[in-house]
Amino acid sequence: MKSSQYTEPNFEQFFAKIAPEVANTFTEEQLEAIKKGFASRTWTRHSLDIRVSVPIPGLRFYVVLLAGQERRPKVRLSSEKGLYPFWTPGNILFLIGFLIIILACSYTIFSFTVSSFTPVSSSNYPTSIPWIYDKSECEHTGRIWDDGKCWDSEHSPNF
């Protein structure tokens, strides 16, 4: 096999997938042209490049999120729409799950924010103390005995 002098990794991966009986038929000029084709591809990093393996027992699962400046020609974009459609069952389930998580988080944050701005009532409301049945015990604790019940006039609804 003639691939030993070519060290470019993408070329090596490509060349390793070719059957040896076919790979041995390439001339040096053909191999050099293929190598130049691989070298001309400029691989640059994306502005956003997140690649995560998700540890789900029994499944080999990963997530990739890439974003950056669009450099693909319009012809390639239109051909890839057919190869990689956006509205697939898997994508729809992912988007629904993602939206549910976003809505739940938003609701929680909104509820917490609104409750922190809601004024706490400083009013006190009288309430009966159900475990005190005796007038003397009631008055001993600084409460008021009325209509056969012990009343606490300083009870707060925020208690």
Side-chain angles (χ1 to χ4, degrees):
M1 192 178 278
K2 301 175 186 178
S3 67
S4 61
Q5 68 189 40
Y6 300 102
T7 58
E8 207 275 317
N10 290 323
F11 174 79
E12 290 295 329
Q13 287 177 344
F14 168 76
F15 201 75
K17 292 178 183 176
I18 297 174
E21 59 272 8
V22 175
N24 288 329
T25 64
F26 287 126
T27 66
E28 290 299 319
E29 293 82 23
Q30 289 172 328
L31 291 172
E32 193 60 37
I34 293 170
K35 183 180 176 190
K36 283 181 183 178
F38 274 99
S40 70
R41 296 175 75 172
T42 56
W43 294 103
T44 58
R45 295 198 53 90
H46 293 86
S47 301
L48 176 66
D49 188 344
I50 300 173
R51 299 163 192 256
V52 180
S53 291
V54 181
I56 298 176
L59 294 175
R60 294 177 53 113
F61 188 71
Y62 69 95
V63 175
V64 176
L65 180 61
L66 300 174
Q69 182 181 1
E70 181 63 77
R71 293 187 210 111
R72 297 173 292 177
K74 289 183 180 183
V75 173
R76 181 175 168 195
L77 287 173
S78 63
S79 69
E80 286 184 354
K81 281 185 181 177
L83 292 173
Y84 308 108
F86 184 77
W87 297 109
T88 63
N91 290 356
I92 292 169
L93 288 175
F94 172 79
L95 290 172
I96 290 171
F98 184 73
L99 287 174
I100 288 171
I101 290 169
I102 293 295
L103 288 172
C105 291
S106 299
Y107 177 77
T108 303
I109 290 169
F110 179 74
S111 297
F112 178 75
T113 305
V114 167
S115 68
S116 67
F117 289 124
T118 304
V120 177
S121 175
S122 60
S123 303
N124 294 324
Y125 301 93
T127 188
S128 66
I129 309 299
W131 58 88
I132 300 178
Y133 302 105
D134 182 65
K135 179 180 180 178
S136 63
E137 185 181 349
C138 177
E139 291 173 348
H140 175 71
T141 59
R143 297 182 175 107
I144 300 168
W145 185 262
D146 185 32
D147 197 25
K149 294 182 180 178
C150 183
W151 292 90
D152 182 356
S153 62
E154 296 181 7
H155 180 75
S156 170
N158 298 320
F159 175 67

